[in-house]
Amino acid sequence: RAKAFGKARYHVFNPAMHQEALQLLQLETDLRRAIERQEFVVYYQPIVSLCEGKISGFEALVRWQHPTRGFVSPAEFIPVAEETGLITFIGTWVMREACQQLRIWQEEKLSQESLTMSVNLSVREFSQPNLIELIDDTLKKTQLSPQNLKLEITESAIMEKDGSVTAILQQLRNRQIQLSIDDFGTGYSSLSYLNRLPVDTLKIDRSFINPIDKNSESLGLVPAIITIAHSLGMSAIAEGVETQQQLAKLRTLNCGFGQGYLFSKPLGSKLAADLLASSPQY
Ligand code: C2E
Ligand code: MG
Ligand code: MG
Ligand code: MG
């Protein structure tokens, strides 16, 4: 909230700002109620191994089924949830739900042992003093192996927390939990920084993937990012793969993994299970 007003400090408070403030306040009230009434649902989007052409994991993406507004996009409510601290409740629930879901798929023999579940963590969650405890507790209660869990954190979140981050990442690594840097290329991390972090995967932001099917000169930074990932012993996931041309380019660039509407949109648990059961070959 304070941040939103910060920019306007030297301007006269106008009716539009008043309106915006009211809307934010309403959203916050609605969010608190949504947590009580459990209006959240987790959707799952497959991540595909590009050499095998098979689903290698899913990313859990939260959805809010608002009683009057219908589905509210996480892009709209996650920032408010972060500012108000409500994200810790939502995040804990999403992680629990996602781990439980993968465990169910394992028990139903729908998934091979190596299938992973990726869960997004915001900065605010990352700085919870009991984060590790929460994760341990979730894994214990859902009986999921730590190797099957991947956490996604953005580059900017890592930079923001600086010093304290490495220690937490190391604790995750000690447990064999995997770590991805989300939206890679949009924040900015120094390359030496990257080298010091125990990270497994770089997720190349959709904005870099989008133009690569236009012409042969449009590969931009994508080959460089893939090379950096591989030379640091990490894998690369291309986000937002939407066309066959993009997929073909990514394969020639040796990008290990892809995610995007070309393979599947995020799906509710039932449809995600159906997709998994059909063993699609991409
Ligand atoms: P993200 O983690 O980078 O997730 C990828 C977003 O790109 C998702 O949007 C997904 O639906 C969308 N996407 C996937 N493939 C394509 C494609 O081919 N084309 C296009 N145009 N978009 C694609 P979504 O689900 O709206 O989530 C937006 C952001 O909200 C996420 O970005 C993530 O930062 C945040 N978020 C979602 N769920 C959670 C959560 O449980 N916890 C936290 N902390 N953040 C979450
Ligand atoms: Mg993500
Ligand atoms: Mg992303
Ligand atoms: Mg993104």
Side-chain angles (χ1 to χ4, degrees):
R1 195 66 36 81
K3 225 188 218 167
F5 286 130
K7 271 193 215 136
R9 195 175 300 151
Y10 303 106
H11 296 274
V12 177
F13 195 81
N14 63 43
M17 286 163 61
H18 183 63
Q19 195 55 39
E20 196 186 318
L22 282 181
Q23 276 170 8
L24 273 175
L25 204 61
Q26 185 61 49
L27 196 57
E28 181 178 340
T29 311
D30 285 4
L31 265 179
R32 289 188 191 280
R33 197 204 44 204
I35 292 167
E36 279 165 33
R37 299 193 189 169
Q38 306 187 357
E39 293 169 1
F40 298 103
V41 188
V42 181
Y43 271 46
Y44 301 94
Q45 187 178 37
I47 295 172
V48 170
S49 154
L50 297 188
C51 40
E52 295 176 70
K54 293 199 172 105
I55 296 176
S56 65
F58 284 89
E59 177 175 1
L61 294 157
V62 70
R63 298 289 178 262
W64 177 13
Q65 178 75 68
H66 191 284
T68 56
R69 294 172 60 199
F71 272 110
V72 183
S73 161
E76 190 181 337
F77 73 85
I78 293 285
V80 179
E82 279 192 54
E83 270 188 63
T84 53
L86 293 171
I87 189 68
T88 54
F89 296 99
I90 301 171
T92 305
W93 180 81
V94 171
M95 183 170 319
R96 177 75 181 267
E97 191 74 10
C99 290
Q100 201 161 36
Q101 186 59 72
L102 181 55
R103 188 69 196 122
I104 290 171
W105 288 337
Q106 288 178 344
E107 276 167 3
E108 291 174 346
K109 303 273 182 277
L110 272 179
S111 83
Q112 342 121 257
E113 239 178 80
S114 62
L115 200 84
T116 56
M117 182 59 76
S118 297
V119 177
N120 293 283
L121 275 191
S122 66
V123 214
R124 187 78 175 244
E125 295 172 83
F126 209 73
S127 15
Q128 292 177 94
N130 61 343
L131 176 71
I132 297 287
E133 239 172 281
L134 262 170
I135 294 172
D136 283 345
D137 185 59
T138 304
L139 290 173
K140 197 169 154 218
K141 288 204 171 111
T142 59
Q143 296 185 293
L144 190 74
S145 308
Q147 296 97 308
N148 294 113
L149 179 63
K150 275 189 114 157
L151 299 175
E152 297 194 358
I153 177 160
T154 59
E155 210 178 351
S156 39
I158 290 178
M159 298 308 283
E160 197 173 311
K161 293 312 309 171
D162 197 9
S164 58
V165 149
T166 324
I168 300 172
L169 297 188
Q170 198 54 55
Q171 280 180 279
L172 295 171
R173 162 59 53 89
N174 294 345
R175 286 161 170 73
Q176 295 182 293
I177 293 167
Q178 300 182 64
L179 221 109
S180 302
I181 299 188
D182 208 349
D183 305 339
F184 186 78
T186 59
Y188 60 24
S189 39
S190 78
L191 296 178
S192 61
Y193 200 99
L194 202 57
N195 196 18
R196 278 189 283 120
L197 296 174
V199 168
D200 304 275
T201 309
L202 299 184
K203 295 192 77 171
I204 311 170
D205 192 68
R206 186 166 85 223
S207 58
F208 295 96
I209 304 303
N210 188 272
I212 66 172
D213 59 357
K214 300 281 149 41
N215 56 61
S216 53
E217 279 85 63
S218 64
L219 293 174
L221 290 175
V222 175
I225 297 176
I226 294 169
T227 303
I228 289 169
H230 291 168
S231 57
L232 293 177
M234 303 173 185
S235 54
I237 303 183
E239 293 191 293
V241 183
E242 294 181 351
T243 69
Q244 287 291 346
Q245 291 91 318
Q246 289 167 341
L247 173 60
K249 283 265 171 68
L250 289 165
R251 281 196 161 120
T252 62
L253 293 173
N254 268 323
C255 183
F257 301 86
Q259 182 181 0
Y261 296 167
L262 176 67
F263 307 114
S264 169
K265 291 201 167 181
L267 303 168
S269 60
K270 179 73 184 67
L271 287 179
D274 290 347
L275 181 71
L276 201 52
S278 73
S279 308
Q281 185 70 39
Y282 298 103

Coordinates of all heavy atoms in Angstrom, one line a residue, residues 157-198:
A157 N 13.6 -11.5 -6.2 CA 13.4 -11.9 -4.8 C 14.7 -12.4 -4.2 O 15.1 -12.0 -3.0 CB 12.4 -13.1 -4.7
I158 N 15.5 -13.1 -4.9 CA 16.8 -13.5 -4.5 C 17.7 -12.4 -4.2 O 18.4 -12.3 -3.2 CB 17.5 -14.5 -5.4 CG1 16.7 -15.9 -5.4 CG2 18.9 -14.8 -5.1 CD1 17.2 -16.9 -6.4
M159 N 17.7 -11.4 -5.1 CA 18.6 -10.2 -5.0 C 18.2 -9.4 -3.8 O 19.0 -8.9 -3.0 CB 18.6 -9.4 -6.3 CG 19.1 -10.1 -7.5 SD 20.7 -10.8 -7.3 CE 21.7 -9.3 -7.4
E160 N 16.9 -9.3 -3.6 CA 16.3 -8.4 -2.6 C 16.8 -8.9 -1.2 O 17.1 -8.2 -0.3 CB 14.8 -8.4 -2.7 CG 14.1 -7.3 -1.9 CD 12.6 -7.3 -2.2 OE1 12.3 -7.3 -3.4 OE2 11.8 -7.3 -1.2
K161 N 16.7 -10.3 -1.0 CA 17.0 -10.8 0.3 C 18.5 -11.0 0.5 O 19.0 -11.3 1.6 CB 16.3 -12.2 0.5 CG 14.8 -12.1 0.6 CD 14.2 -11.1 1.4 CE 14.5 -10.9 2.8 NZ 13.9 -9.7 3.4
D162 N 19.3 -10.9 -0.6 CA 20.7 -11.0 -0.6 C 21.3 -12.0 0.4 O 21.1 -13.2 0.3 CB 21.4 -9.6 -0.3 CG 22.8 -9.6 -0.7 OD1 23.3 -10.7 -1.3 OD2 23.5 -8.7 -0.5
G163 N 22.0 -11.6 1.5 CA 22.7 -12.4 2.4 C 22.0 -13.6 2.9 O 22.6 -14.7 2.9
S164 N 20.8 -13.4 3.4 CA 20.1 -14.5 4.1 C 19.7 -15.6 3.2 O 19.5 -16.8 3.6 CB 18.9 -13.9 4.8 OG 18.1 -13.3 3.9
V165 N 19.6 -15.3 1.9 CA 19.1 -16.3 0.9 C 20.0 -17.5 0.8 O 19.5 -18.6 0.9 CB 19.0 -15.6 -0.5 CG1 19.2 -16.6 -1.6 CG2 17.6 -15.0 -0.5
T166 N 21.3 -17.3 0.7 CA 22.2 -18.4 0.5 C 22.1 -19.5 1.5 O 22.0 -20.7 1.2 CB 23.7 -18.0 0.4 OG1 23.7 -16.7 -0.2 CG2 24.5 -18.9 -0.4
A167 N 21.9 -19.1 2.8 CA 21.8 -20.1 3.9 C 20.5 -20.9 3.7 O 20.6 -22.1 3.9 CB 21.8 -19.3 5.2
I168 N 19.4 -20.2 3.4 CA 18.2 -20.9 3.2 C 18.3 -21.9 2.1 O 17.9 -23.1 2.2 CB 17.0 -19.9 3.0 CG1 16.9 -19.0 4.2 CG2 15.7 -20.7 2.8 CD1 15.9 -17.9 4.0
L169 N 18.8 -21.4 1.0 CA 18.9 -22.3 -0.2 C 19.8 -23.5 0.1 O 19.5 -24.6 -0.3 CB 19.6 -21.5 -1.4 CG 18.8 -20.3 -1.9 CD1 19.4 -19.8 -3.2 CD2 17.3 -20.7 -2.2
Q170 N 20.8 -23.3 0.9 CA 21.7 -24.4 1.3 C 20.9 -25.4 2.1 O 21.1 -26.6 1.9 CB 22.9 -23.9 2.0 CG 24.1 -24.9 2.1 CD 24.5 -25.4 0.7 OE1 24.8 -24.6 -0.2 NE2 24.4 -26.7 0.4
Q171 N 20.1 -24.9 3.0 CA 19.3 -25.9 3.8 C 18.3 -26.7 2.9 O 18.1 -27.9 3.2 CB 18.5 -25.1 4.9 CG 19.3 -24.7 6.1 CD 18.4 -24.0 7.1 OE1 18.2 -22.8 6.9 NE2 17.9 -24.7 8.0
L172 N 17.8 -26.0 1.9 CA 16.9 -26.7 1.0 C 17.7 -27.8 0.2 O 17.2 -28.9 0.0 CB 16.2 -25.7 0.0 CG 15.3 -24.7 0.6 CD1 14.9 -23.7 -0.4 CD2 14.0 -25.4 1.2
R173 N 18.9 -27.4 -0.3 CA 19.7 -28.3 -1.0 C 20.1 -29.5 -0.2 O 20.1 -30.6 -0.6 CB 21.0 -27.5 -1.4 CG 22.2 -28.3 -1.8 CD 22.0 -29.3 -3.0 NE 21.4 -28.6 -4.2 CZ 22.1 -28.1 -5.2 NH1 23.4 -28.1 -5.1 NH2 21.5 -27.6 -6.2
N174 N 20.4 -29.3 1.1 CA 20.7 -30.4 2.0 C 19.6 -31.4 2.1 O 19.9 -32.6 2.4 CB 21.1 -29.9 3.4 CG 22.3 -29.0 3.5 OD1 23.1 -29.0 2.5 ND2 22.5 -28.2 4.6
R175 N 18.4 -30.9 1.9 CA 17.2 -31.8 2.0 C 16.9 -32.4 0.6 O 16.0 -33.1 0.4 CB 16.0 -31.0 2.4 CG 16.0 -30.7 3.9 CD 15.1 -29.6 4.2 NE 14.9 -29.4 5.6 CZ 15.8 -28.9 6.5 NH1 16.9 -28.5 6.0 NH2 15.5 -28.8 7.7
Q176 N 17.7 -32.1 -0.4 CA 17.5 -32.5 -1.8 C 16.3 -31.9 -2.5 O 15.8 -32.5 -3.4 CB 17.5 -34.0 -1.9 CG 18.9 -34.6 -1.5 CD 18.8 -36.1 -1.6 OE1 18.2 -36.8 -0.9 NE2 19.6 -36.6 -2.6
I177 N 15.8 -30.8 -1.9 CA 14.7 -30.1 -2.6 C 15.3 -29.3 -3.7 O 16.4 -28.8 -3.5 CB 14.0 -29.2 -1.6 CG1 13.3 -30.0 -0.5 CG2 13.1 -28.2 -2.3 CD1 12.8 -29.2 0.7
Q178 N 14.7 -29.3 -4.9 CA 15.3 -28.6 -6.0 C 14.8 -27.1 -6.0 O 13.8 -26.8 -5.5 CB 14.9 -29.3 -7.3 CG 15.4 -30.7 -7.3 CD 15.0 -31.3 -8.7 OE1 15.5 -30.9 -9.7 NE2 14.2 -32.3 -8.6
L179 N 15.6 -26.3 -6.7 CA 15.4 -24.9 -6.8 C 15.4 -24.3 -8.2 O 16.4 -24.6 -8.9 CB 16.4 -24.2 -5.9 CG 15.6 -23.1 -5.1 CD1 15.5 -23.4 -3.7 CD2 16.2 -21.8 -5.5
S180 N 14.4 -23.6 -8.6 CA 14.4 -22.9 -9.9 C 14.4 -21.4 -9.7 O 13.7 -20.9 -8.8 CB 13.2 -23.3 -10.7 OG 13.1 -24.7 -10.9
I181 N 15.1 -20.7 -10.6 CA 15.0 -19.3 -10.6 C 13.9 -19.0 -11.7 O 14.1 -19.3 -12.9 CB 16.3 -18.6 -10.9 CG1 17.3 -18.9 -9.8 CG2 16.1 -17.0 -11.0 CD1 18.6 -18.1 -9.9
D182 N 12.8 -18.3 -11.3 CA 11.7 -18.0 -12.1 C 11.9 -16.7 -12.9 O 12.6 -15.8 -12.4 CB 10.4 -17.9 -11.2 CG 9.2 -18.3 -12.0 OD1 9.2 -18.4 -13.2 OD2 8.1 -18.4 -11.3
D183 N 11.3 -16.6 -14.1 CA 11.3 -15.4 -14.9 C 12.8 -14.9 -15.1 O 13.1 -13.7 -15.1 CB 10.5 -14.3 -14.2 CG 9.1 -14.7 -13.9 OD1 8.6 -15.6 -14.5 OD2 8.5 -14.0 -13.0
F184 N 13.7 -15.9 -15.3 CA 15.1 -15.5 -15.4 C 15.3 -14.6 -16.6 O 14.8 -14.8 -17.7 CB 16.0 -16.8 -15.6 CG 17.5 -16.4 -15.5 CD1 18.1 -16.2 -14.3 CD2 18.2 -16.3 -16.7 CE1 19.4 -15.8 -14.3 CE2 19.5 -16.0 -16.7 CZ 20.2 -15.7 -15.5
G185 N 16.1 -13.5 -16.3 CA 16.5 -12.6 -17.3 C 15.7 -11.2 -17.2 O 16.1 -10.2 -17.8
T186 N 14.7 -11.3 -16.3 CA 13.9 -10.0 -16.1 C 14.3 -9.2 -14.9 O 14.0 -8.1 -14.8 CB 12.4 -10.3 -16.0 OG1 12.2 -11.2 -14.9 CG2 11.9 -11.0 -17.2
G187 N 15.0 -9.9 -14.0 CA 15.5 -9.1 -12.8 C 16.9 -8.8 -13.2 O 17.1 -8.6 -14.4
Y188 N 17.8 -8.5 -12.3 CA 19.2 -8.8 -12.7 C 20.1 -9.3 -11.7 O 20.3 -8.7 -10.7 CB 19.8 -7.7 -13.5 CG 20.0 -6.4 -12.9 CD1 20.1 -6.1 -11.6 CD2 20.1 -5.3 -13.8 CE1 20.3 -4.9 -11.1 CE2 20.3 -4.0 -13.3 CZ 20.4 -3.8 -11.9 OH 20.7 -2.6 -11.5
S189 N 20.6 -10.5 -12.0 CA 21.5 -11.1 -11.1 C 22.9 -11.0 -11.7 O 23.0 -11.2 -13.0 CB 21.2 -12.5 -10.7 OG 20.7 -13.2 -11.9
S190 N 23.9 -10.8 -11.0 CA 25.2 -10.8 -11.5 C 25.5 -12.3 -11.7 O 25.1 -13.1 -11.0 CB 26.3 -10.2 -10.6 OG 26.6 -11.0 -9.6
L191 N 26.3 -12.6 -12.7 CA 26.6 -14.0 -13.1 C 27.4 -14.7 -12.0 O 27.2 -15.9 -11.7 CB 27.3 -14.1 -14.4 CG 26.5 -13.6 -15.6 CD1 27.2 -13.7 -16.9 CD2 25.1 -14.4 -15.7
S192 N 28.2 -13.9 -11.3 CA 29.0 -14.5 -10.2 C 28.1 -14.9 -9.1 O 28.3 -16.0 -8.4 CB 30.1 -13.6 -9.7 OG 29.5 -12.4 -9.2
Y193 N 27.1 -14.2 -8.9 CA 26.1 -14.5 -7.8 C 25.4 -15.8 -8.1 O 25.3 -16.7 -7.3 CB 25.0 -13.4 -7.9 CG 24.2 -13.3 -6.7 CD1 24.4 -12.3 -5.7 CD2 23.1 -14.1 -6.4 CE1 23.7 -12.2 -4.6 CE2 22.3 -14.0 -5.3 CZ 22.6 -13.1 -4.4 OH 21.9 -13.0 -3.3
L194 N 25.0 -15.9 -9.4 CA 24.4 -17.2 -9.9 C 25.3 -18.4 -9.6 O 24.8 -19.4 -9.2 CB 24.2 -17.0 -11.4 CG 23.1 -17.9 -12.0 CD1 21.8 -17.7 -11.4 CD2 23.0 -17.5 -13.5
N195 N 26.5 -18.2 -9.8 CA 27.5 -19.3 -9.6 C 27.6 -19.8 -8.2 O 27.9 -20.9 -7.9 CB 28.9 -18.8 -10.1 CG 29.8 -20.0 -10.3 OD1 29.4 -21.1 -10.4 ND2 31.1 -19.6 -10.4
R196 N 27.3 -18.9 -7.2 CA 27.4 -19.2 -5.8 C 26.1 -19.9 -5.2 O 26.2 -20.4 -4.2 CB 27.7 -18.0 -5.0 CG 29.2 -17.6 -5.0 CD 29.5 -16.5 -4.0 NE 29.1 -15.2 -4.5 CZ 28.2 -14.4 -3.9 NH1 27.6 -14.8 -2.8 NH2 27.9 -13.2 -4.4
L197 N 25.0 -19.7 -6.0 CA 23.8 -20.2 -5.4 C 23.5 -21.7 -5.8 O 23.8 -22.1 -6.9 CB 22.6 -19.4 -5.9 CG 22.6 -17.9 -5.5 CD1 21.4 -17.2 -6.2 CD2 22.4 -17.8 -4.0
P198 N 23.0 -22.5 -4.8 CA 22.7 -23.9 -5.1 C 21.4 -24.0 -5.9 O 20.4 -24.4 -5.3 CB 22.7 -24.5 -3.7 CG 22.3 -23.5 -2.8 CD 22.8 -22.2 -3.4

